[in-house]
Amino acid sequence: MDSTPPEDGAVDPRDGADAPRLLLRYAALSDVGRVRKDNQDSGFASEHLLVIADGVGGAARGDIASSTAVQALRRLDEAPPEDMLEALAGAIHRAHDRIAELVEQDPALDGTSTTVTAALFDGNRVGLAHIGDSRGYLLRDGTLSQLTKDHTFVQSLIDEGRITEDEARTHPHRNLILRAVDGVHETDPDLFYIELAPGDRLLLCSDGASGVLDHDRLADILGTGSVDYAVVELIRASLDAGSSDNITCVVADVEEVGAVTDGPPLAAAATGPMLVGAAAEQPRRAGQASKSFFRGHRSGDTGEIEPVPGEAGNGARESGGDAPVDPEELRYAPQAPRRGRRVKALAAVLVVALVLALAGFLGYRWSQQQYYVAANGDHVGIYQGVQASVPGVRMNHLVDETAVTIQALPDFPAEQVRAGIPAESLADAHKIVARLGHAARACPTPTPTPTPTPTPSKSPTAKPTPKPSASKTPSPTKSPTPTPTPSPTLSPPDCIEATS
């Protein structure tokens, strides 16, 4: 028998074709506990399947995530397939997809997730699938073995040798899990087989029990009484030990087929499959608090224990914060725990501000090394900077106003100037202006009018007085000579005057 999970991804090559020789006698119980108002755990037990799911998310409704996972897995409650691990992995993936759909339909559920520990039984062995920090145990011949490995931050510290198991039990971040079924990150459950023998007792439980009861206490309770007594006593002992979380336990005894026992040969013959916790309460009215499942009819019961409203569990207030924070909202985060949150946030803001300031300074410095030619009123001007407008920042200034006017330029160069012509340097800008000056219309040079030379008059000569004639014929009158119209001339700013 090998009760230790193999390396991740290892699959037992056996096909499980042996005839069933074992059966399960099981019991399941879930309790909201003394602190929380809602039960976010879900559990299921039958002759083929045992499941624990611990919902994570607080206000994001971890109860919906856990019940969704259990409902997806309970479809395996029938004669198991040959490859039980593949069936378990597929069911967990379907739960992952369904949670993603629920979050898409209701964004208020964003952040919800759940742990899953499930055992599928074929009559000889169980295939186990595990993700999160719910646990699976095997009690054999009085020795208790932990079958699963927590996917938690403190477990990583234990693996690195930085803390011990006892220190992990009181570590401030002991509830921070690194892997869960959340509808976002790909599911990566541990998958392995466990061979069973008559007399074995299996326990699946949420961290509401395993987080407060040490190894010896769990072994002591599991080694006493029936499966019904074991689930009740596990929850009562967890509450007495100060558990502030929901508590769910599934216990199953492994018996030989046809073996004579004190009770019925199979518990399922009397009770059928057992669905407990949030999965049994769904759907429930909004705002309705979960009730304790402790009832006085069970031997050794404490009576019904109602949740205590207003009491904060461990870590109910985040260090340095004023608003109460449900630890469940901080529980699932695939990253290291947040220490000095405000200091780190402030440091991050300062770093971003410094980077932006440096980038702005370098960008402005670069911009002031640029030149371009553009319109400055009616004239062509040379500017230093870039053609951009930034509120509160002057990005350019006039360097030189040239004698070239916009109206003196042909249409295309004029449009280029209005749009702005980039230059590689100040010297290049002057070259551009020189080219524009050559393209500009030059003002015509005025032609000087010659001064007329005076003609000397002849000396007067005596003329004979004409004799009057009988009739006077008028002499023909000369028509005035037309004065030529001067041609139009261009004047600035329609042209550019030539310089000597």
Side-chain angles (χ1 to χ4, degrees):
M1 189 281 297
D2 179 14
S3 61
T4 303
E7 295 296 327
D8 290 349
V11 177
D12 194 312
R14 292 168 294 181
D15 58 7
D18 296 340
R21 57 186 180 84
L22 304 172
L23 53 81
L24 297 179
R25 182 192 296 273
Y26 53 85
L29 188 62
S30 183
D31 193 86
V32 69
R34 289 176 171 166
V35 173
R36 302 196 177 281
K37 294 183 292 183
D38 296 310
N39 192 349
Q40 301 194 12
D41 287 1
S42 294
F44 179 80
S46 73
E47 59 182 313
H48 299 296
L49 180 68
L50 311 174
V51 182
I52 284 286
D54 182 356
V56 181
R61 300 292 301 274
D63 55 329
I64 292 179
S66 68
S67 59
T68 298
V70 167
Q71 295 297 349
L73 281 158
R74 69 179 297 187
R75 297 179 184 178
L76 302 178
D77 184 24
E78 56 186 12
E82 290 186 0
D83 193 338
M84 294 189 291
L85 300 187
E86 181 180 2
L88 288 167
I92 291 175
H93 188 75
R94 287 191 294 273
H96 163 90
D97 291 343
R98 179 56 182 157
I99 291 173
E101 292 175 1
L102 293 173
V103 172
E104 184 177 359
Q105 295 168 7
D106 183 3
L109 298 178
D110 186 25
T112 189
S113 60
T114 183
T115 71
V116 171
T117 303
L120 188 58
F121 178 62
D122 68 355
N124 297 291
R125 57 180 177 164
V126 290
L128 266 78
H130 168 72
I131 182 169
D133 65 346
S134 298
R135 288 185 178 179
Y137 292 91
L138 174 67
L139 181 69
R140 173 174 293 175
D141 299 329
T143 301
L144 184 67
S145 302
Q146 181 177 330
L147 303 178
T148 58
K149 182 177 181 179
D150 297 345
H151 301 140
T152 61
F153 176 68
V154 294
Q155 183 61 51
S156 67
L157 298 180
I158 294 172
D159 295 341
E160 295 169 4
R162 297 167 61 182
I163 63 173
T164 64
E165 291 277 359
D166 291 339
E167 291 172 335
R169 197 172 297 280
T170 57
H171 194 279
H173 299 295
R174 61 189 176 277
N175 292 327
L176 182 63
I177 61 177
L178 304 180
R179 287 161 60 184
V181 182
D182 62 355
V184 178
H185 304 87
E186 285 299 321
T187 58
D188 185 21
D190 296 338
L191 301 167
F192 51 94
Y193 286 103
I194 298 295
E195 287 291 334
L196 298 178
D200 288 347
R201 174 167 283 188
L202 291 167
L203 166 65
L204 305 186
C205 64
S206 63
D207 69 322
S210 60
V212 295
L213 300 179
D214 61 25
H215 198 84
D216 292 338
R217 183 67 174 132
L218 287 172
D220 180 58
I221 296 173
L222 288 174
T224 306
S226 65
V227 291
D228 295 286
Y229 172 82
V231 293
V232 172
E233 189 61 23
L234 284 167
I235 292 178
R236 187 175 73 167
S238 299
L239 293 172
D240 290 344
S243 179
S244 60
D245 203 352
N246 311 138
I247 309 166
T248 304
C249 297
V250 174
V251 178
D253 281 346
V254 179
E255 300 177 356
E256 285 187 295
V257 174
V260 177
T261 62
D262 295 334
L266 185 62
T271 64
M274 301 181 70
L275 185 65
V276 298
E281 297 178 40
Q282 293 287 347
R284 65 171 185 267
R285 296 189 302 273
Q288 178 181 355
S290 299
K291 297 295 184 180
S292 171
F293 283 92
F294 269 159
R295 303 295 175 182
H297 70 276
R298 293 187 183 273
S299 173
D301 187 18
T302 61
E304 182 168 325
I305 301 176
E306 296 291 349
V308 181
E311 285 191 10
N314 295 335
R317 288 184 180 270
E318 196 173 0
S319 177
D322 297 327
V325 178
D326 188 342
E328 284 296 300
E329 296 182 8
L330 307 176
R331 189 174 170 215
Y332 175 50
Q335 57 187 2
R338 292 173 279 185
R339 297 183 180 183
R341 182 184 179 189
R342 287 190 174 183
V343 175
K344 289 185 177 180
L346 180 59
V349 170
L350 290 176
V351 169
V352 171
L354 288 173
V355 170
L356 292 177
L358 180 60
F361 171 76
L362 294 176
Y364 180 77
R365 186 176 179 182
W366 170 86
S367 72
Q368 297 310 298
Q369 296 173 352
Q370 310 304 307
Y371 293 88
Y372 65 96
V373 176
N376 176 37
D378 292 335
H379 288 260
V380 175
I382 297 177
Y383 291 83
Q384 181 179 7
V386 292
Q387 281 184 288
S389 177
V390 177
V393 181
R394 187 177 179 182
M395 300 300 294
N396 53 65
H397 63 277
L398 182 66
V399 174
D400 186 14
E401 181 179 353
T402 70
V404 181
T405 62
I406 304 295
Q407 294 182 15
L409 296 172
D411 291 342
F412 181 69
E415 289 301 323
Q416 284 185 308
V417 171
R418 291 188 183 98
I421 305 174
E424 296 180 356
S425 63
L426 181 59
D428 186 43
H430 282 292
K431 291 179 180 178
I432 294 173
V433 171
R435 288 196 298 270
L436 293 173
H438 290 307
R441 290 185 291 268
C443 294
T445 303
T447 304
T449 304
T451 303
T453 304
T455 304
S457 60
K458 294 181 181 180
S459 301
T461 305
K463 294 182 179 180
T465 303
K467 294 180 180 181
S469 59
S471 62
K472 197 171 187 180
T473 305
S475 59
T477 305
K478 293 182 179 180
S479 59
T481 303
T483 304
T485 303
S487 60
T489 59
L490 298 174
S491 62
D494 296 325
C495 60
I496 179 171
E497 297 180 356
T499 58
S500 57

